[in-house]
Amino acid sequence: MRGRVDVLYRNIGKPIFFKLDPEKAHHLVVGGLGRASGVVGADAVMRGMYGVSETPDLAVDLFGLHFPTPVGLAAGLDKNAQAVKGFSSIGFGFMEVGTVTPKGQPGNEQPRLFRLPPDEALINRMGFNNEGAEAMAKRLSALKERRIPVAVNIGKNKATPNEKANGDYEACIQALFPYGDFFVVNISSPNTPDLRSLQHGSELASLLEAVKNEMSRQAQIHGGDKAVLVKIAPDVSDAELEFMVDTISTSGVSGIIATNTTLSREGLTHGHAKETGGLSGKPLRERSTEIVSRIYKQTGGSLPIIGSGGIFTARDAYDKIRAGASLVEIYTALIYEGPEVNRKLHSGLRDLLARDGFNHISEAVGANHR
């Protein structure tokens, strides 16, 4: 049955989706999953088709949360938390929603999402298009149960100057603190002007201090501490990365997501390579793994890392884990491989752990450094 489901997507679903405009296909999938979740029994059907059974060797406890599998969905696909139940039913161990900004905004002009099939990559310049923090809070508050942890990825509005960016991140936390299981500070999208400048200099320390203070205030109001991670870009020098990691470590946040999309176009063959925006997919794999490794080495493994970028196979995920990632995320692989990818990743990771004599995934984290 599982093999037939995989063939169904590869031979029927994917060709249909890839004939559609990428953004229309995106909305069709997210909207469809969201609507399906309202149909009695639909989630059970999706779990039967694509769900991943929790196994003791791959379940992870981190940030005070339980992750049934180490593979999550990266931010950007479910920008408005429309399909949390749907994505929770197709084998993910956690997911990010967003990036969300305090006020809703349309994002950049279309077209703004491009497929590069020969490179198994995507380029997007969406520009944080979303309905705003209050709309997301309303959707998340309506969820009666959560099968997996949900992270809220927060950013600033395009019209907000960097010197006032702290207020936007604080506003997102104020609106969404009760509804996110943990939070991700996005300072690394290439599609909001000057956003990446917040990664450097005193701006980063100031922003993280403001975020931590606001998280503490909301914890006092609502009860319960929640983890905050920072998502960084791959397009940094060794010196910039070292400074960033040192600042993030000193700030007291809970971890790092490495990495966001890249501006690099090295090795691409498709004509869309000339499009501006952030590149995701296989071309990002090696660079993001290198960043994970450098962070782990610099921090001695003391700062948890979620590895993201170019993961298509269990080997790709395992490389990031051995480099230092405690959890991993996919996005582009879901588009190219379909929802069966989660079962393949889970099965392959179990095989790789057994091959190397590890009883639990935590034993493999950072193994390259030992």
Side-chain angles (χ1 to χ4, degrees), residues 21 23-24 27 106-114 125-126:
D21 170 80
E23 188 164 351
K24 288 181 180 178
H27 291 307
N108 295 323
E109 292 184 5
Q110 299 183 30
R112 53 193 180 181
L113 181 61
F114 307 89
R125 50 172 181 265
M126 305 297 283

Side-chain angles (χ1 to χ4, degrees), residues 29-367:
V29 170
V30 176
L33 276 175
R35 288 188 292 273
S37 297
V39 177
V40 177
D43 289 333
V45 171
M46 285 192 287
R47 287 196 301 276
M49 293 175 65
Y50 299 116
V52 173
S53 298
E54 181 175 335
T55 58
D57 53 349
L58 288 184
V60 176
D61 292 304
L62 190 64
F63 311 129
L65 301 167
H66 181 71
F67 299 82
T69 84
V71 181
L73 177 66
L77 197 55
D78 194 357
K79 293 177 178 294
N80 296 302
Q82 292 175 276
V84 172
K85 287 182 67 177
F87 283 117
S88 300
S89 300
I90 59 173
F92 287 108
F94 66 101
M95 67 179 291
E96 288 187 67
V97 293
T99 298
V100 63
T101 54
K103 299 176 182 178
Q105 59 182 28
N108 295 323
E109 292 184 5
Q110 299 183 30
R112 53 193 180 181
L113 181 61
F114 307 89
R115 303 186 193 98
L116 294 75
D119 305 302
E120 294 186 275
L122 299 172
I123 290 175
N124 92 82
R125 50 172 181 265
M126 305 297 283
F128 289 174
N129 56 308
N130 74 103
E131 296 173 2
E134 293 297 338
M136 179 178 284
K138 184 176 181 180
R139 283 202 179 95
L140 290 176
S141 68
L143 291 175
K144 293 184 174 63
E145 64 173 349
R146 294 186 189 177
R147 296 183 177 275
I148 60 175
V150 177
V152 176
N153 185 300
I154 58 176
K156 79 174 187 70
N157 281 112
K158 182 178 181 179
T160 303
N162 276 8
E163 58 268 25
K164 296 184 179 180
N166 292 10
D168 276 15
Y169 290 91
E170 291 167 341
C172 287
I173 294 167
Q174 291 163 11
L176 289 157
F177 184 89
Y179 312 115
D181 295 308
F182 64 108
F183 287 78
V184 179
V185 177
N186 189 346
I187 51 173
S188 51
S189 170
N191 302 315
T192 295
D194 297 325
L195 182 70
R196 287 189 170 188
S197 298
L198 295 174
Q199 296 182 121
H200 310 296
S202 60
E203 290 90 346
L204 178 58
S206 173
L207 172 61
L208 296 184
E209 182 181 12
V211 165
K212 284 286 292 179
N213 288 340
E214 189 58 48
M215 290 292 292
S216 296
R217 281 192 289 270
Q218 294 303 315
Q220 290 177 352
I221 295 170
H222 299 284
D225 293 328
K226 297 185 178 183
V228 179
L229 284 75
V230 181
K231 190 166 192 175
I232 66 172
D235 307 314
V236 292
S237 68
D238 291 350
E240 288 171 334
L241 178 62
E242 184 175 350
F243 175 82
M244 266 196 296
V245 172
D246 183 61
T247 303
I248 292 169
S249 298
T250 303
S251 74
V253 300
S254 307
I256 295 178
I257 299 182
T259 65
N260 211 318
T261 56
T262 181
L263 295 173
S264 171
R265 298 295 186 265
E266 184 177 354
L268 299 182
T269 61
H270 194 275
H272 283 155
K274 68 181 185 299
E275 297 291 347
T276 59
L279 174 77
S280 64
K282 281 193 175 179
L284 181 57
R285 177 178 55 203
E286 291 184 10
R287 177 57 176 166
S288 59
T289 303
E290 179 187 5
I291 295 285
V292 169
S293 183
R294 288 179 177 274
I295 295 169
Y296 187 91
K297 184 177 181 180
Q298 181 178 336
T299 62
S302 62
L303 192 65
I305 304 164
I306 298 179
S308 181
I311 295 173
F312 275 64
T313 67
R315 180 78 241 186
D316 299 335
Y318 195 56
D319 286 346
K320 282 184 169 55
I321 291 164
R322 287 186 61 98
S326 296
L327 300 166
V328 295
E329 292 179 337
I330 65 171
Y331 179 140
T332 306
L334 184 64
I335 307 302
Y336 280 92
E337 301 293 318
E340 185 70 10
V341 68
N342 280 322
R343 278 183 172 158
K344 293 178 180 178
L345 291 173
H346 194 269
S347 175
L349 280 172
R350 298 193 74 197
D351 289 343
L352 289 165
L353 286 178
R355 182 202 69 182
D356 289 350
F358 296 129
N359 295 313
H360 189 265
I361 185 174
S362 60
E363 298 171 29
V365 175

